[in-house]
């Protein structure tokens, strides 16, 4: 028998099924063929199993219809919250299979909503960026939509940790916002950060340049310093984001999580007696000292490939998170160069550590300080 309720439920189910397909099977295959996971697969890997609660699955934008592509429920971004090792996290994941993950008004409203919730409850925000930037079909409205996100990036800075993963060819606003966040991860050979892509550069300036040269993981981790971590694929990248979260407090009023790695505080390492050469003209590798003193030899290095004569990163002493800054005598004879002042940007990200301790070693000026 005909029942309006049943019809409504059936149509709701079919709308949800359609939303879960993103841009469709063919585009998902293209995404996979480039070594990239889909936006939903990434969220599944990032968060604890079964913890994700999605917001606004069926929200559509003004350009979702009318561009010849039909309706796109979700408007190219998946948003919601879940947990990492039991701690609350807010997340958005852009879907490149829908209009290149580009950002329009509704897409931005969804991101704004989770950023507002994250600041209200004091939880980290993680953005999985895979987007061509401002959606061309929405013109100036998409630029204004980015303005809303940028202003939230500023207001959330120093309040909750903001982490960005660049997981595809990201252009324009899709990199300006991540550049304002605390930590930026990239994936080697499949992620890029640029103002616009090589084809547009060629059209406008007649310059031939590859995506790697213009804004690949190597350029941003070694030369520009815009990115802080690079990993070979999506899976490793997301695993390391989970690891970083374990060093951070959820907000500026909490302390970082305590983790007892069962490393006895009275442990000694006789090898350290021989690490520093008697001759001051000889160098040594500071990383040996760092891994030796930290709990469980666990060290998460920040900007490993940028200004390698200074070492920054996170570890634990007595179970407590510490931020660590050290000279590296093994590179450039420990001289501080212009690039090595990158540690200032690291200190900028440390306030999210709340009053954890930054430990220094070597001769960098004024850097042994409680933050
Ligand atoms: C709408 C976009 C888009 C965008 C990509 N697409 N970027 N649609 N708005 N910004 C669409 C493409 O039309 C295409 O759709 C699909 O996404 C995949 O794109 P491809 O070009 O086929 O992929 P690829 O070769 O991998 O190149 C990706 C790209 C390139 C490097 C991102 O698409 C590109 O350069 N796009 C333009 C980038 C750009 O200039 N964005 C505006 C930035 S300005 P179909 O249907 O054909 O498959 C900005 C201002 C912010 O963001 C300032 C705020 C104040």
């Amino acid at each position: 028998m005909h029942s309006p309720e049943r019809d409504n439920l059936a149509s709701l189910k079919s709308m949800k099924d359609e939303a879960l397909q993103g841009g469709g099977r063919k585009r998902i295959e293209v995404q996979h063929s480039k070594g990239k996971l889909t936006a939903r697969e990434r969220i599944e890997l990032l968060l604890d199993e079964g913890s994700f609660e999605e917001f606004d699955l069926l929200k559509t934008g003004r350009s979702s219809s009318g561009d010849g592509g039909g309706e796109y429920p979700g408007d190219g971004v998946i948003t919601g919250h879940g947990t990492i090792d039991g701690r609350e996290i807010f997340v958005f994941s852009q879907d490149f299979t829908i209009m290149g993950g580009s950002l329009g008004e509704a897409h931005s409203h969804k991101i704004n909503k989770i950023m507002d919730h994250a600041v209200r409850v004091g939880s980290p925000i993680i953005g999985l960026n895979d987007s061509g930037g401002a959606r061309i079909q929405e013109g100036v409205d998409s630029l204004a939509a980015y303005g809303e996100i940028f202003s939230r990036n500023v207001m959330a800075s120093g309040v909750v940790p903001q982490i960005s993963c660049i997981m595809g060819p990201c252009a324009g606003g899709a990199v300006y916002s991540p550049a304002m966040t605390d930590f930026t991860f990239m994936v080697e050979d499949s992620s890029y950060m640029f103002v616009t892509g090589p084809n547009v550069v060629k059209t406008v300036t007649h310059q031939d340049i590859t995506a790697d040269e213009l804004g690949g993981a190597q350029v941003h981790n070694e030369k520009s310093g815009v990115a802080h971590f690079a990993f070979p694929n999506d899976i490793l990248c997301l695993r390391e984001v989970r690891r970083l979260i374990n060093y951070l407090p959820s907000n500026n009023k909490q302390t970082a999580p305590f983790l007892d790695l069962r490393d006895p505080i009275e442990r000694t390492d006789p090898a350290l007696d021989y690490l520093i050469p008697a001759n001051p003209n000889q160098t040594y590798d500071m990383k040996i000292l760092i891994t030796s003193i930290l709990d469980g030899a666990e060290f998460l290095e920040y900007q490993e490939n940028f200004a390698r004569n200074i070492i920054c990163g996170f570890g634990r002493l007595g179970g407590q998170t510490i931020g660590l800054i050290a000279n590296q005598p093994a590179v450039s004879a420990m001289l501080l160069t212009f690039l090595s002042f990158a540690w200032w940007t690291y200190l900028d990200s440390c306030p999210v550590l709340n009053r954890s301790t930054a430990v220094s070693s070597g001769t960098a000026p004024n850097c042994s300080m409680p933050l």
Side-chain angles (χ1 to χ4, degrees):
M1 201 173 71
H2 175 76
S3 144
E5 288 83 12
R6 196 170 298 164
D7 288 351
N8 286 346
L9 282 176
S11 96
L12 181 63
K13 182 174 178 317
S14 108
M15 285 162 78
K16 283 185 173 174
D17 287 346
E18 189 193 339
L20 296 174
Q21 293 307 311
R25 191 172 48 80
K26 276 204 174 134
R27 285 179 189 263
I28 289 175
E29 278 168 14
V30 173
Q31 180 87 347
H32 284 158
S33 72
K34 292 178 180 166
K36 293 160 64 184
L37 297 175
T38 64
R40 282 187 188 280
E41 288 165 345
R42 287 170 178 158
I43 288 182
E44 264 173 43
L45 274 181
L46 176 71
L47 299 177
D48 296 340
E49 197 178 343
S51 69
F52 182 57
E53 294 288 338
E54 185 166 353
F55 294 155
D56 302 322
L57 172 68
L58 300 178
K59 192 176 177 90
T60 52
R62 56 170 88 191
S63 67
S64 282
S65 54
D67 70 344
E71 288 271 320
Y72 290 111
D75 207 42
V77 65
I78 299 161
T79 57
H81 65 108
T83 58
I84 290 183
D85 292 325
R87 289 167 64 212
E88 189 73 7
I89 304 290
F90 284 79
V91 63
F92 71 84
S93 182
Q94 293 175 313
D95 187 345
F96 194 78
T97 68
I98 296 179
M99 292 179 278
S102 58
L103 182 137
E105 199 179 34
H107 184 123
S108 155
H109 285 164
K110 289 179 68 174
I111 294 176
N112 297 339
K113 184 170 170 177
I114 61 123
M115 292 181 81
D116 290 344
H117 280 310
V119 170
R120 197 171 303 125
V121 304
S123 293
I125 301 164
I126 301 178
L128 308 182
N129 298 270
D130 194 352
S131 164
R135 187 174 298 157
I136 288 153
Q137 296 89 325
E138 293 195 32
V140 76
D141 289 321
S142 63
L143 304 185
Y146 261 124
E148 293 286 334
I149 293 176
F150 299 164
S151 84
R152 281 170 174 79
N153 286 136
V154 173
M155 298 312 284
S157 178
V159 179
V160 295
Q162 300 183 77
I163 298 173
S164 301
C165 296
I166 309 297
M167 309 195 82
C170 291
V175 299
Y176 309 155
S177 165
M180 282 193 278
T181 61
D182 300 306
F183 302 99
T184 302
F185 289 68
M186 291 187 75
V187 180
E188 290 158 11
D189 302 324
S190 63
S191 82
Y192 307 93
M193 298 179 82
F194 30 55
V195 174
T196 189
N199 293 342
V200 181
V201 170
K202 170 82 179 161
T203 308
V204 176
T205 68
H206 306 290
Q207 189 187 355
D208 278 309
I209 188 159
T210 66
D212 275 317
E213 290 165 337
L214 195 57
Q218 196 181 359
V219 162
H220 287 306
N221 279 272
E222 289 181 22
K223 286 192 181 163
S224 75
V226 167
H228 310 119
F229 301 95
F231 297 99
N233 56 48
D234 286 13
I235 297 171
L236 291 175
C237 176
L238 296 167
R239 190 190 70 184
E240 292 301 302
V241 174
R242 287 180 63 93
R243 191 168 156 227
L244 173 64
I245 284 286
N246 273 313
Y247 287 108
L248 304 178
S250 291
N251 57 61
N252 59 351
K253 293 188 180 152
Q254 287 183 3
T255 50
F258 180 87
L259 186 62
D260 184 358
L261 295 178
R262 302 198 181 278
D263 193 346
I265 205 141
E266 64 279 6
R267 172 179 62 83
T268 58
D269 184 353
L272 292 184
D273 291 343
Y274 305 96
L275 178 67
I276 301 178
N279 179 351
N281 292 329
Q282 284 179 348
T283 63
Y284 61 96
D285 184 357
M286 186 68 82
K287 287 191 191 171
I288 296 175
L289 175 71
I290 292 171
T291 47
S292 168
I293 61 169
L294 291 178
D295 288 1
E298 287 251 353
F299 180 50
L300 178 61
E301 190 169 352
Y302 170 95
Q303 291 200 310
E304 184 177 359
N305 296 312
F306 185 72
R308 291 187 305 110
N309 51 349
I310 202 101
I311 302 170
C312 302
F314 299 104
R316 284 195 165 78
L317 285 178
Q320 193 66 56
T321 295
I322 58 145
L324 188 143
I325 301 167
N327 291 112
Q328 172 55 294
V331 177
S332 310
M334 201 161 73
L335 290 172
L336 283 179
T337 58
F338 173 71
L339 284 184
S340 53
F341 283 94
W343 59 273
W344 282 116
T345 67
Y346 169 72
L347 279 183
D348 267 351
S349 71
C350 276
V352 297
L353 279 175
N354 198 7
R355 303 189 60 83
S356 297
T357 305
V359 174
S360 76
S361 64
T363 57
N366 303 323
C367 59
S368 179
M369 62 183 83
L371 294 177

